[in-house]
Amino acid sequence: MQFQIRESRSILASSLLLIAPFFLWGTAMVAMKGVIPHTTPLFMAGVRLVPAGVLILIVGAFMGRHQPKGWLAWLWIGLFAVVDGTLFQGFLAEGLARTSAGLGSVMIDSQPLAVALLSWWLFQERIGLWGWLGLALGVIGISLIGLPQEWIWHFIHPGVVTNSTNNNLFDNSLPLFASGEWLMLLAALSMALGTILIRFVSKYTDPVIATGWHMILGGIPLWGISSFLEVDQWQNILPADWVALTYATVLGSAIAYGLFFYFASTGNLTSLSSLTFLTPVFALIFGRILLGEVLTGIQWIGVMITLISIYLINQRENLPGQEDRKVETING
């Protein structure tokens, strides 16, 4: 009996640890959103990256993981830092300042759509029936989330005149490319490219150590740009904001990435990546509870469709009639 109890507790603990990275990523999005009114996006992005990278390198040193050697290793780490560090976190922070935490997390976690297409193109990995269905649903879901509602209603009812009389894509009345949703899409694309790059990076150096260095090297430019373009980066930050930033840095970055790569290195990548869709769910739940964020009806429909599409792409190997190889997707 005692053995069964211990075994049950061990399974429960393992399940909680497996879910932890996605819980931490989702709630970190909410924590960052609460701090934004008192700081600046690029400064906050650097705070989330650089200290977390230092922590990962310290832990990696205690674990006996080797530092990068050779110019090829540093070249790939540098490219990884620009794409998955500077661009991803920069777009993420700027987009989060213009949209909600839950909505932003949904759009960030649409990156498996881009990963699937890039892997199909670069590595000739077949997407399959369920994968293509997921991609199609993802396009529909993201459109419902990010496009101006005037455009959506005009598409559904072409003859109906909406409140907007100008449908020019670049018109200031519909600032599509300045909206938080589309900045989040750019962040998702950067994250997808980073997911592809880690395959090349890991050929030349330890992936955990590379993760730490790419956070540091990717975060420093964000602080540099912030020093030129932003003002009052920390003067208005409250004590509670520093607690939230610490949470996003230590738990939402260092520990979340550390747990993710630990499970990935022990062969649980399939189970781990299938839980990707939980990240926006946690962000939506806690965004509603802590920040009182509300989505429109159309956006909720888009959220549901996007989550379904992400699930189909991550689980397509396990669905009936699917024998394709799984495209591995990594969250950050």
Side-chain angles (χ1 to χ4, degrees):
M1 176 66 72
Q2 290 181 349
F3 174 78
Q4 291 178 341
I5 293 175
R6 283 196 294 267
E7 185 178 8
S8 299
R9 289 177 178 176
S10 177
I11 293 174
L12 177 60
S14 299
S15 301
L16 291 176
L17 285 175
L18 196 63
I19 295 172
F22 308 97
F23 173 83
L24 294 173
W25 278 324
T27 51
M29 190 80 73
V30 178
M32 291 167 62
K33 180 64 178 178
V35 177
I36 279 180
H38 305 139
T39 185
T40 57
L42 297 181
F43 172 78
M44 181 180 65
V47 169
R48 188 182 180 190
L49 279 181
V50 177
V54 172
L55 286 174
I56 290 177
L57 290 181
I58 292 173
V59 173
F62 278 107
M63 294 173 63
R65 293 182 177 270
H66 298 292
Q67 291 294 318
K69 295 181 180 179
W71 66 271
L72 274 177
W74 285 108
L75 179 64
W76 281 109
I77 290 174
L79 182 60
F80 186 37
V82 171
V83 173
D84 194 66
T86 305
L87 293 179
F88 168 52
Q89 291 294 336
F91 286 137
L92 169 63
E94 290 287 352
L96 192 59
R98 296 167 173 82
T99 188
S100 65
L103 181 58
S105 181
V106 170
M107 305 204 72
I108 286 296
D109 281 275
S110 68
Q111 59 90 18
L113 311 176
V115 170
L117 286 173
L118 288 171
S119 297
W120 172 62
W121 178 48
L122 294 173
F123 307 120
Q124 291 76 50
E125 295 189 6
R126 295 180 59 193
I127 296 178
L129 174 63
W130 293 109
W132 283 115
L133 178 61
L135 289 172
L137 290 176
V139 172
I140 296 172
I142 291 171
S143 298
L144 293 177
I145 292 171
L147 289 176
Q149 292 194 24
E150 293 90 345
W151 291 19
I152 297 172
W153 288 118
H154 181 74
F155 179 80
I156 297 174
H157 304 288
V160 177
V161 179
T162 62
N163 293 332
S164 176
T165 59
N166 190 345
N167 287 328
N168 185 352
L169 189 65
F170 301 99
D171 186 78
N172 290 331
S173 63
L174 295 175
L176 184 61
F177 292 101
S179 68
E181 289 83 1
W182 287 94
L183 286 170
M184 285 298 191
L185 284 180
L186 290 174
L189 180 59
S190 300
M191 183 179 179
L193 291 173
T195 301
I196 298 297
L197 284 174
I198 194 64
R199 287 191 176 187
F200 299 97
V201 173
S202 60
K203 292 180 180 179
Y204 299 96
T205 186
D206 181 89
V208 175
I209 295 298
T211 299
W213 277 114
H214 107 283
M215 286 181 169
I216 296 173
L217 297 177
I220 291 175
L222 291 171
W223 276 345
I225 298 172
S226 174
S227 66
F228 283 101
L229 301 181
E230 298 176 339
V231 295
D232 296 331
Q233 288 92 332
W234 61 83
Q235 286 82 350
N236 299 318
I237 298 180
L238 304 175
D241 298 328
W242 285 114
V243 173
L245 282 175
T246 301
Y247 178 88
T249 300
V250 178
L251 296 175
S253 290
I255 293 180
Y257 274 102
L259 284 173
F260 183 88
F261 281 111
Y262 170 76
F263 286 122
S265 64
T266 57
N268 293 320
L269 188 57
T270 300
S271 299
L272 191 63
S273 60
S274 69
L275 297 174
T276 302
F277 72 97
L278 288 177
T279 304
V281 173
F282 287 128
L284 288 167
I285 291 173
F286 284 91
R288 173 62 176 163
I289 294 173
L290 299 177
L291 303 178
E293 297 178 345
V294 179
L295 302 182
T296 67
I298 291 179
Q299 287 176 326
W300 270 116
I301 294 173
V303 166
M304 294 299 105
I305 293 176
T306 302
L307 292 180
I308 292 171
S309 74
I310 294 169
Y311 174 80
L312 288 176
I313 292 172
N314 280 315
Q315 285 290 311
R316 68 186 186 278
E317 280 189 344
N318 302 322
L319 295 174
Q322 179 58 261
E323 297 179 354
D324 295 332
R325 292 176 298 168
K326 183 176 181 60
V327 177
E328 297 177 354
T329 58
I330 300 177
N331 196 343

